[in-house]
Amino acid sequence: MLKMNNVTKVFRTDLVETHALRDFNLHVQEGDFVAVTGPSGSGKTTFLNIAGLLETFNGGQYHLDGLDVSNLSDKERSRIRNEKIGFIFQGFNLIPDLNLFDNVDVPLRYRGFRSAERKRRIEQSLEMVGLASRMKHLPSQLSGGQQQRVAIARALAGEPRFLLADEPTGNLDSKMAHSVMDLLKDINARGTTIVMVTHDPLLAKQARRNIFVRDGKVSELHEVSAFAEDETAASKVANSKQ
Amino acid sequence: MFNSSSWEVGPILRALMRNKVGALLIAIQIAVTMCIIVNAIHIILERQELMARDSGIDEANSFHLISTGFANDFNEQVTIETDLNTIRALPGVIDAVQINAIPISGGGWSMGLQTQPGAEFDGVGTAVYMVDEHVLEALDLELIAGEAFKPTHVRWRERAQTNWPDQTIITKAMAESLFPEEPWQQVVGKTVYINDNEPILIMGIIDKLQAPWVGWNNVEHAMLSPEKTLFSSSRYLVRTEPGRRDELMPKVEEILAESNKGRIIRDVTSMMDTRERSYRRHGAMIKILTTVMVILTVVTALGIVGLASFSVNRRRKQIGTRRALGASQSAILRYFMLENFLISTVGVVLGAALTIGLNIYLVQAFSLDRIDWYFIPLGMLVLWMVGQLAVFGPAKRAAGIAPAIATRTV
């Protein structure tokens, strides 16, 4: 699904040259759930941006779903983001002036779906996150956990094969974080590949596979045999938030 | 390919309704701008139409001057005859005439003509030009019915004399006003009355000759009276061959001044200068209105740029998120252009109502003409275009926002 070989990313200013990623290698299989952890400044977000085609890179190769995305135009990258990738952001990134229905509708409009199809998908995805009854509400009328669920519904409405989550529980309390993680695991169980960036090792352990990034490189990579027991995970998440 | 789903009219409208103050202010600004611009253009075109009217004379090749006698032995009649003979004999001069008033100059004589004698009947106002038999050639007038003056028709008018010659030539417009029921050709030979009871025979009709007062409603009403005036000052109007006016103006002035030391020659002025002076207020009005229009349009455009720039800066994260969710650069550009189009639409619809309202007021208060219907859609189109041009820069900047901004936490 995702294959990065020797990907490098350098940020340059007049005075400084920063190597955000150096020979970054990662292979994510279809249906996998990978957690990417590492200290601040290690390159996690840069990796996420490149994986999600939000940013270009300077060297190496990146294949997404079998397609070499190294030299695509901005328009092509937009299309692939829209069709293949779902994004979940730490700050939810819902559009405050739009109600839940219109928020989930945003990527579907860019996809060019007709009105009836969009409506079906919006209702289905909001139903899945348990917010179908509140589709006329504004984001400001929801709790943080509910807003993140809306963001997940928005990410899923286009039925992407690949979900990128950037600290998805970072702004949530432990109870809500638990519920969001459950949702992500459920989504993964249905076959969607998930790559989650987090600074929280306990949260990362709930993924199938963990990678640790340091100084722009993958420094550790290990399998987690199965999802941790729900109760244990919830307790760890709660502890990590305290 | 056109895809209606990517035109986010509904979401944009709903979002605007939740943040309506800024958008409403811009819409009102657009409405006021449209109202003022459309009415100003209407006034400008009306003024330009006035300024473009043909006075009926050969303005490009004509000039006029005043001869004022001051010597005790100054003989008006001899001087006038000598002067006219001298001017007419000059190479390059087509003809010259003594005239009591200059068309479109702002000063002249007027009388009323009526079709029935008696003080109880109203007359039709007309400018009066006292001229001799050279008038048609000197002013380049076209006689379209009847006869021209002959030398025998022309009399001398004393300073205190109040009666009138018994023939006249009038303009076609005057003929139609005097006898609205009859074809103007049949007005020749009819008798009209001046000073209530003095009969005058209409012996000819000229196509066109404007009165001295350009703002007068009856500016096309003029009558030629066959007489030369024995006043202390005489006006001469001289028509030259094409291209010789400027050469002859100082020459005529010099010759006349030299020929009789008992008078002064003054106000040697071309008809083009006379026209410019008469319509100067109109010209100034056009310049002022044009300036106001330009300033207003620029201020409105800047307002749109300001609102759009503010909106783009406020929504950087949102734009990045949209890009992350699959919006292409052109989709972001289209979003802001469409948002502005919707705001402008509210503005121009409101503006159309205001424009009509202001025009009704101007028609009632200042007797302006009613605005032509097509000014409204044209005004709307212009304001839409101004809006789209103004928002293009900020929208382009928005389209350039990187999608990676979506993952930034600050």
Side-chain angles (χ1 to χ4, degrees):
Chain A
M1 169 57 69
L2 180 155
K3 198 172 179 183
M4 286 186 176
N5 290 323
N6 300 320
V7 168
T8 59
K9 176 68 181 177
V10 182
F11 292 105
R12 290 189 179 89
T13 65
D14 291 343
L15 300 172
V16 188
E17 198 170 80
T18 308
H19 290 261
L21 294 184
R22 303 163 190 263
D23 295 328
F24 194 96
N25 292 292
L26 182 66
H27 190 184
V28 177
Q29 299 286 349
E30 184 152 12
D32 210 346
F33 187 164
V34 178
V36 180
T37 56
S40 294
S42 60
K44 296 191 302 289
T45 302
T46 305
F47 156 71
L48 181 98
N49 285 345
I50 291 172
L53 306 186
L54 302 179
E55 238 172 66
T56 55
F57 50 97
N58 304 102
Q61 279 195 317
Y62 173 24
H63 286 82
L64 179 67
D65 201 17
L67 178 72
D68 184 357
V69 296
S70 311
N71 295 307
L72 294 179
S73 67
D74 186 82
K75 193 174 176 182
E76 271 299 299
R77 296 162 70 83
S78 299
R79 190 182 61 77
I80 292 172
R81 278 200 300 271
N82 183 249
E83 290 178 6
K84 292 185 187 293
I85 308 172
F87 286 94
I88 301 168
F89 304 99
Q90 180 180 356
F92 325 133
N93 290 22
L94 297 176
I95 295 167
D97 300 327
L98 300 181
N99 62 28
L100 306 195
F101 186 96
D102 285 337
N103 260 291
V104 179
D105 194 22
V106 169
L108 303 181
R109 282 182 177 270
Y110 297 136
R111 188 83 160 265
F113 287 134
R114 298 217 169 269
S115 171
E117 173 66 8
R118 296 201 320 267
K119 188 169 183 288
R120 185 187 68 74
R121 283 171 179 256
I122 294 165
E123 286 171 353
Q124 194 177 40
S125 57
L126 282 172
E127 185 75 47
M128 198 183 102
V129 299
L131 289 167
S133 61
R134 307 190 67 176
M135 58 176 70
K136 295 295 172 194
H137 285 66
L138 290 173
S140 59
Q141 295 170 308
L142 305 181
S143 69
Q146 287 171 325
Q147 289 188 44
Q148 192 60 299
R149 283 173 170 274
V150 177
I152 293 171
R154 181 178 66 185
L156 292 176
E159 294 173 5
R161 297 181 60 196
F162 180 39
L163 206 59
L164 273 173
D166 179 21
E167 303 273 14
T169 61
N171 285 0
L172 303 179
D173 63 29
S174 59
K175 192 178 169 192
M176 287 177 178
H178 176 73
S179 125
V180 166
M181 272 310 291
D182 281 350
L183 189 56
L184 289 179
K185 284 191 279 186
D186 186 40
I187 291 161
N188 176 243
R190 294 181 196 191
T192 306
T193 310
I194 299 178
V195 172
M196 175 179 72
V197 166
T198 178
H199 68 279
D200 184 344
L202 293 175
L203 201 65
K205 279 183 183 167
Q206 297 188 60
R208 290 180 195 276
R209 210 150 61 102
N210 280 191
I211 67 162
F212 189 78
V213 178
R214 187 192 299 276
D215 298 331
K217 284 185 170 181
V218 177
S219 68
E220 290 172 41
L221 195 149
H222 57 86
E223 298 281 332
V224 176
S225 56
F227 285 135
E229 288 297 320
D230 283 351
E231 289 304 314
T232 317
S235 146
K236 285 176 178 174
V237 169
N239 289 338
S240 74
K241 289 287 169 188
Q242 284 165 3
Chain B
M1 195 179 76
F2 177 77
N3 185 340
S4 62
S5 69
S6 58
W7 294 82
E8 303 172 69
V9 177
I12 289 173
L13 275 178
R14 287 192 285 279
L16 282 174
M17 289 305 286
R18 294 192 183 100
N19 285 297
K20 39 183 167 298
V21 177
L24 199 61
L25 285 176
I26 288 294
I28 290 170
Q29 192 177 352
I30 289 170
V32 171
T33 303
M34 178 178 159
C35 165
I36 293 174
I37 282 182
V38 170
N39 277 289
I41 288 176
H42 173 63
I43 292 169
I44 286 172
L45 290 179
E46 211 176 62
R47 298 285 162 124
Q48 281 180 336
E49 205 175 309
L50 282 181
M51 291 170 73
R53 288 177 309 187
D54 179 14
S55 66
I57 72 174
D58 180 12
E59 289 178 31
N61 300 303
S62 299
F63 66 94
H64 52 93
L65 54 92
I66 296 175
S67 160
T68 304
F70 61 84
N72 290 333
D73 60 347
F74 182 74
N75 185 316
E76 286 100 349
Q77 187 168 341
V78 171
T79 306
I80 290 165
E81 283 181 338
T82 310
D83 286 348
L84 286 173
N85 287 336
T86 306
I87 297 169
R88 286 167 184 161
L90 280 173
V93 171
I94 291 177
D95 212 335
V97 69
Q98 189 214 24
I99 192 164
N100 62 317
I102 303 297
I104 68 167
S105 67
W109 290 36
S110 74
M111 291 298 292
L113 295 183
Q114 56 199 67
T115 52
Q116 289 177 282
E120 68 273 28
F121 295 106
D122 288 333
V124 176
T126 179
V128 179
Y129 292 113
M130 296 166 185
V131 287
D132 65 16
E133 71 280 9
H134 290 262
V135 64
L136 298 184
E137 192 66 3
L139 272 64
D140 194 23
L141 304 177
E142 187 185 355
L143 186 76
I144 54 175
E147 292 176 51
F149 293 142
K150 293 184 175 65
T152 50
H153 292 128
V154 181
R155 72 171 196 184
W156 287 96
R157 184 184 189 100
E158 298 289 342
R159 208 167 298 172
Q161 196 168 341
T162 56
N163 66 342
W164 292 83
D166 49 13
Q167 293 97 10
T168 185
I169 294 173
I170 61 175
T171 58
K172 183 179 157 193
M174 184 65 188
E176 287 168 340
S177 293
L178 280 168
F179 300 96
E181 306 296 327
E182 296 185 34
W184 55 267
Q185 296 89 337
Q186 291 180 18
V187 173
V188 175
K190 288 192 180 294
T191 297
V192 289
Y193 299 88
I194 196 166
N195 280 344
D196 295 338
N197 295 308
E198 273 187 64
I200 299 183
L201 179 73
I202 298 171
M203 60 179 290
I205 293 174
I206 49 174
D207 182 41
K208 188 172 189 63
L209 177 59
Q210 285 193 328
W213 314 282
V214 293
W216 189 34
N217 286 341
N218 295 328
V219 68
E220 304 295 341
H221 287 184
M223 64 177 278
L224 304 179
S225 183
E227 52 192 335
K228 290 190 273 195
T229 56
L230 291 171
F231 306 156
S232 56
S233 284
S234 279
R235 275 196 179 81
Y236 301 131
L237 195 145
V238 183
R239 180 176 167 220
T240 70
E241 290 170 358
R244 301 199 63 179
R245 183 197 67 195
D246 293 344
E247 162 208 342
L248 284 163
M249 281 171 69
K251 201 170 180 179
V252 168
E253 181 180 10
E254 190 184 337
I255 290 170
L256 294 189
E258 284 298 317
S259 68
N260 188 336
K261 302 287 187 186
R263 52 97 177 269
I264 54 168
I265 302 297
R266 59 189 174 91
D267 295 348
V268 183
T269 311
S270 72
M271 276 307 298
M272 297 303 281
D273 283 344
T274 301
R275 166 173 284 274
E276 192 276 325
R277 208 169 299 167
S278 291
Y279 285 106
R280 192 171 286 166
R281 275 174 51 200
H282 291 63
M285 171 76 91
I286 287 172
K287 280 179 190 160
I288 290 167
L289 287 177
T290 306
T291 308
V292 167
M293 273 166 43
V294 169
I295 290 172
L296 210 53
T297 307
V298 169
V299 167
T300 301
L302 288 177
I304 293 168
V305 170
L307 180 75
S309 296
F310 175 71
S311 172
V312 168
N313 289 334
R314 193 172 58 88
R315 292 191 276 184
R316 286 179 69 80
K317 183 102 173 177
Q318 183 190 128
I319 293 162
T321 302
R322 285 178 179 275
R323 293 278 284 127
L325 296 176
S328 61
Q329 290 188 325
S330 59
I332 298 294
L333 187 77
R334 188 171 56 228
Y335 179 92
F336 281 93
M337 303 288 275
L338 183 59
E339 185 182 66
N340 172 269
F341 182 81
L342 294 173
I343 294 170
S344 298
T345 300
V346 174
V348 295
V349 169
L350 191 62
L354 281 178
T355 304
I356 293 167
L358 179 63
N359 185 244
I360 289 171
Y361 169 74
L362 291 175
V363 168
Q364 288 172 350
F366 301 106
S367 302
L368 287 185
D369 286 343
R370 199 177 296 171
I371 216 161
D372 287 321
W373 69 267
Y374 56 81
F375 275 64
I376 304 287
L378 276 177
M380 292 168 91
L381 196 65
V382 167
L383 266 295
W384 263 317
M385 283 168 61
V386 167
Q388 292 290 286
L389 284 174
V391 85
F392 184 75
K396 196 96 172 51
R397 277 203 303 283
I401 289 174
I405 206 167
T407 58
R408 286 188 200 151
T409 47
V410 284

